[in-house]
Amino acid sequence: MVNPTVTLSKTAITVKSRGTATITATVKNGGGDKLYLEYYSGSKWVTKATYNVPNTDTHSQKVTLTNEWWYKTGTLWRCELKDSAGKSLAVSATLKVTTQRYYQNPSGYLQIKDKIIHSWPNRVMKSSATNSRWGKIAGVKRIFK
């Protein structure tokens, strides 16, 4: 008997939160078994979805990740093939999902950790966007009213 294998279409993806993350899992020599989508939570793998694998030599299964990845900046996922008794037959490589926040600023905009430099004719002052002591700074005009 040939050992079954599980292969994911990607090893890393970046998806906007509130979107849909979908990949393809290819199962070889695993006909009649079950494919489990698993999410790494803390120190263990938690099953999030189960798919039946038809009795064929090769089967491609479209897998949609559940929304646990929305709430974190990065999560790990995998697919595991198990027989009817629950014995593990094959495990895919890990998929890393990076979440892009829905309202995440593009890199060209001011980021929270950016340094702000204010210069006047005779002096230069520096402040951090996260730790500014000045509040309103004289010499900076307000564009919007």
Side-chain angles (χ1 to χ4, degrees):
M1 181 177 163
V2 180
N3 290 336
T5 60
V6 179
T7 309
L8 299 180
S9 59
K10 298 180 181 181
T11 57
I13 57 174
T14 300
V15 187
K16 280 191 171 187
S17 64
R18 296 190 275 173
T20 302
T22 304
I23 57 164
T24 302
T26 304
V27 178
K28 291 186 180 179
N29 304 317
D33 298 317
K34 291 193 178 206
L35 183 68
Y36 294 87
L37 172 66
E38 298 177 334
Y39 163 74
Y40 191 73
S41 176
S43 60
K44 62 182 179 176
W45 291 97
V46 179
T47 300
K48 293 297 177 180
T50 304
Y51 302 92
N52 291 320
V53 178
N55 234 347
T56 57
D57 289 339
T58 302
H59 173 68
S60 292
Q61 177 68 51
K62 189 175 179 181
V63 177
T64 302
L65 306 182
T66 57
N67 64 3
E68 279 77 12
W69 63 270
W70 285 10
Y71 309 109
K72 298 184 179 184
T73 55
T75 54
L76 299 176
W77 297 81
R78 73 177 186 185
C79 285
E80 184 174 11
L81 185 69
K82 294 182 183 179
D83 63 10
S84 58
K87 180 184 174 190
S88 179
L89 301 174
V91 178
S92 71
T94 304
L95 168 71
K96 182 178 181 183
V97 177
T98 304
T99 306
Q100 182 179 11
R101 297 285 141 228
Y102 193 77
Y103 295 107
Q104 187 170 339
N105 288 340
S107 60
Y109 289 94
L110 179 68
Q111 302 294 311
I112 292 174
K113 294 181 181 177
D114 283 351
K115 296 287 182 190
I116 302 171
I117 299 176
H118 310 284
S119 60
W120 280 271
N122 297 327
R123 61 183 178 169
V124 174
M125 297 186 296
K126 294 181 181 180
S127 70
S128 169
T130 58
N131 189 19
S132 178
R133 291 184 279 152
W134 301 315
K136 292 184 180 180
I137 300 173
V140 178
K141 292 184 178 177
R142 187 173 176 188
I143 298 173
F144 303 105
K145 294 183 179 184

